[in-house]
Amino acid sequence: VRPSMKNYLKLRDMVYSGEFYGGRDGQTSGWFKSGYGPHIWGSMTIQGLLGHFFDHVDREHSVELNRCRYNNIADNARVSTLFQPKFPRGTLIEQARNESSPRYNFRDTYCRDGRKNCDDVDCQRFPIEKTRMVHYTYCKSPLKCNECNYMETYKEVT
């Protein structure tokens, strides 16, 4: 990656413009009403700004990287039946399953992105030695999740 002063100045001017719009509709919110708004984590930060920039301003130089290799959040690629769907929980390993407890008896269902098979973005199972960057979003640091009582779902069978 070669830095570009031209792009830096464009990005700086975009931030100085203050053209960030609230709302959660995904159509007229966010940077320059492009849809990169508050319904996307980090939309007001560099994450949203760069997303908007390389999706709307400079598509010629945009490359989509493998989300499991770069910026791995280890999120669940599938929708879970867990009673609290706000946070995508890890795939429950069979050894932790307990049929009599909803907390330990959830299952993965369909792919979040609508495809039939989303194994290519199952970042929980992506080999850690191939991961180049890990992103601590919800947990902030390893094993420090706020109100996260489901750590057993992140363990692999050895």
Side-chain angles (χ1 to χ4, degrees):
V1 175
R2 184 173 298 142
S4 162
M5 182 57 79
K6 180 178 149 189
N7 282 348
Y8 168 77
L9 294 173
K10 281 184 192 177
L11 287 161
R12 183 200 64 186
D13 292 344
M14 290 167 71
V15 171
Y16 284 165
S17 78
E19 292 255 358
F20 186 87
Y21 298 89
R24 298 191 178 276
D25 63 6
Q27 308 264 328
T28 60
S29 61
W31 291 100
F32 300 91
K33 297 186 178 181
S34 65
Y36 283 85
H39 63 288
I40 300 171
W41 286 104
S43 62
M44 210 171 191
T45 68
I46 194 71
Q47 288 174 245
L49 181 64
L50 289 177
H52 163 76
F53 185 81
F54 287 109
D55 211 17
H56 293 276
V57 178
D58 190 13
R59 288 188 69 109
E60 181 182 332
H61 294 104
S62 109
V63 175
E64 186 171 346
L65 300 174
N66 180 305
R67 60 177 268 202
C68 298
R69 183 178 302 273
Y70 301 96
N71 209 31
N72 188 330
I73 298 176
D75 55 337
N76 194 348
R78 292 166 183 81
V79 174
S80 171
T81 60
L82 185 67
F83 55 89
Q84 187 203 40
K86 183 177 179 185
F87 302 105
R89 298 293 179 205
T91 303
L92 187 65
I93 60 174
E94 287 305 312
Q95 291 85 341
R97 188 168 306 288
N98 178 347
E99 301 283 337
S100 63
S101 170
R103 179 177 171 183
Y104 295 106
N105 194 31
F106 58 90
R107 304 215 181 269
D108 291 337
T109 56
Y110 55 91
C111 294
R112 289 183 183 279
D113 61 12
R115 296 182 296 155
K116 290 209 182 277
N117 185 332
C118 49
D119 289 344
D120 61 321
V121 290
D122 185 357
C123 299
Q124 295 175 348
R125 302 289 180 256
F126 191 79
I128 194 70
E129 62 274 4
K130 292 183 178 181
T131 300
R132 295 294 170 249
M133 186 169 70
V134 176
H135 185 144
Y136 298 115
T137 294
Y138 180 65
C139 294
K140 308 297 183 221
S141 62
L143 310 178
K144 300 281 187 209
C145 291
N146 299 328
E147 300 178 35
C148 184
N149 299 317
Y150 301 95
M151 293 312 293
E152 63 278 348
T153 63
Y154 297 94
K155 296 177 185 172
E156 283 287 341
V157 178
T158 57

